[in-house]
């Protein structure tokens, strides 16, 4: 293939960037590539590697926090169901105003599906059990102490999940920014090489790149482009030797 298109996947991109870094280290000084020194390219490459690692760790932390929150929510839901059955025995199956003090203020007396409402209900049930400990069922863990422990665990798990999600989003933005910088720098290196060496030069391969097909649209575009606005400084090229006109005329 004549085109040197950057990979879309991050792992393949890092592999190619590593090859380009090695090429700059080996051939950069000989080719006079001063716009992007090997050390600077290596720093940009390392930044993306670190950002990718940090984002992967943040994603793992987010998944773990979500698992913990799901387990805490399941435990809270199960405890509220048991508490509801206990209140049925205490207040009767028929709805009355006496149900309100237990925390089940709705006539349906169902456990809410919304997490925040479940936590609120658990708090009310715990208050009722704390004021009326005789209604508790210790062998079923339907007590004020057990209920408080369960809903506090849910609150902590949700807070940890929120922190993990926020951190993951931040790490993702940092990773995307580092990837954008590396991609832009890699494209600049490809353009510089296109102006520094011929399409058939085997040093393209040393940079992990394809040799452009001579005469292709891409090759003409690269070699005919003015890099003054795109690069930090002009590329030093060897001066061409001019023929001795006077000697030729005399001959």
């Amino acid at each position: 293939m004549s085109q040197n298109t950057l990979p879309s996947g991050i792992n393949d991109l890092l592999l190619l960037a590593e090859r380009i870094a090695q090429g700059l280290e080996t051939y950069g000084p000989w080719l006079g590539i001063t716009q992007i020194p090997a050390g600077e390219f290596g720093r940009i490459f390392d930044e993306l590697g670190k950002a990718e690692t940090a984002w992967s760790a943040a994603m793992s932390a987010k998944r773990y926090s979500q698992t913990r929150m799901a387990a805490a929510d399941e435990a809270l839901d199960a405890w509220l169901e048991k508490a509801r059955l206990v209140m049925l025995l205490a207040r009767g199956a028929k709805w009355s105003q006496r149900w309100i003090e237990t925390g089940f203020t709705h006539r349906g007396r169902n456990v809410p599906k919304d997490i925040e409402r479940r936590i609120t209900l658990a708090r009310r049930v715990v208050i009722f059990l704390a004021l009326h400990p005789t209604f508790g069922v210790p062998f079923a863990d339907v007590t004020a102490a057990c209920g408080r422990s369960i809903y506090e665990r849910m609150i902590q798990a949700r807070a940890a999940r929120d922190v993990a999600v926020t951190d993951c989003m931040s790490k993702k933005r940092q990773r995307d920014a580092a990837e954008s910088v590396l991609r832009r720098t890699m494209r600049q290196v490809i353009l510089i090489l296109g102006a520094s060496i011929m399409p058939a030069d085997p040093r393209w391969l040393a940079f992990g790149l394809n040799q452009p097909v001579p005469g292709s649209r891409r090759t003409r575009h690269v070699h005919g482009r003015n890099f003054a606005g795109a690069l930090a400084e002009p590329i030093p090229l060897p001066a061409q030797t001019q023929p001795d006109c006077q000697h030729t005329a005399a001959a």
Side-chain angles (χ1 to χ4, degrees), residues 49-212:
K50 293 176 182 177
E52 176 69 14
T53 300
W55 182 50
S56 297
M59 285 196 297
S60 297
K62 185 182 78 169
R63 286 192 293 268
Y64 176 70
S65 68
Q66 290 172 333
T67 300
R68 283 191 60 204
M69 179 177 168
D73 187 36
E74 184 178 350
L76 177 62
D77 186 69
W79 186 84
L80 286 173
E81 285 291 349
K82 290 190 294 183
R84 187 177 70 88
L85 294 176
V86 170
M87 298 309 159
L88 279 172
L89 296 175
R91 290 293 183 253
K94 187 177 180 180
W95 169 260
S96 67
Q97 293 295 322
R98 298 177 64 199
W99 268 91
I100 296 178
E101 65 175 340
T102 67
F104 290 89
T105 58
H106 192 270
R107 287 182 177 273
R109 291 159 292 180
N110 296 323
V111 175
K113 296 184 180 299
D114 179 71
I115 293 178
E116 189 62 40
R117 292 178 62 191
R118 281 201 293 273
I119 293 174
T120 300
L121 174 59
R123 284 196 176 110
R124 291 173 178 170
V125 173
V126 165
I127 291 173
F128 174 80
L129 291 174
L131 295 175
H132 306 87
T134 55
F135 287 102
V137 182
F139 74 86
D141 292 332
V142 182
T143 63
C146 288
R148 185 179 296 107
S149 175
I150 289 173
Y151 81 67
E152 285 181 349
R153 190 182 310 131
M154 177 64 208
I155 293 173
Q156 293 170 359
R158 184 177 61 173
R161 189 280 313 268
D162 292 344
V163 170
V165 169
T166 300
D167 182 62
C168 189
M169 292 173 60
S170 175
K171 293 296 191 300
K172 178 65 164 57
R173 286 193 295 267
Q174 294 172 10
R175 178 259 197 190
D176 290 347
E179 180 183 358
S180 178
V181 172
L182 180 61
R183 286 184 178 276
R184 183 169 62 249
T185 307
M186 291 171 70
R187 292 189 186 100
Q188 290 176 345
V189 171
I190 294 173
L191 291 174
I192 293 172
L193 287 175
S196 302
I197 60 178
M198 298 301 293
D201 196 311
R203 285 175 291 187
W204 283 98
L205 305 178
F207 284 81
L209 301 168
N210 299 309
Q211 292 175 291

Side-chain angles (χ1 to χ4, degrees), residues 24-68:
L24 285 173
E25 186 73 29
T26 304
Y27 296 106
W30 297 98
L31 294 173
I33 300 178
T34 59
Q35 299 89 342
I36 306 175
E40 177 63 14
F41 186 90
R43 183 192 65 79
I44 295 173
F45 170 69
D46 290 340
E47 284 295 324
L48 177 55
K50 293 176 182 177
E52 176 69 14
T53 300
W55 182 50
S56 297
M59 285 196 297
S60 297
K62 185 182 78 169
R63 286 192 293 268
Y64 176 70
S65 68
Q66 290 172 333
T67 300
R68 283 191 60 204

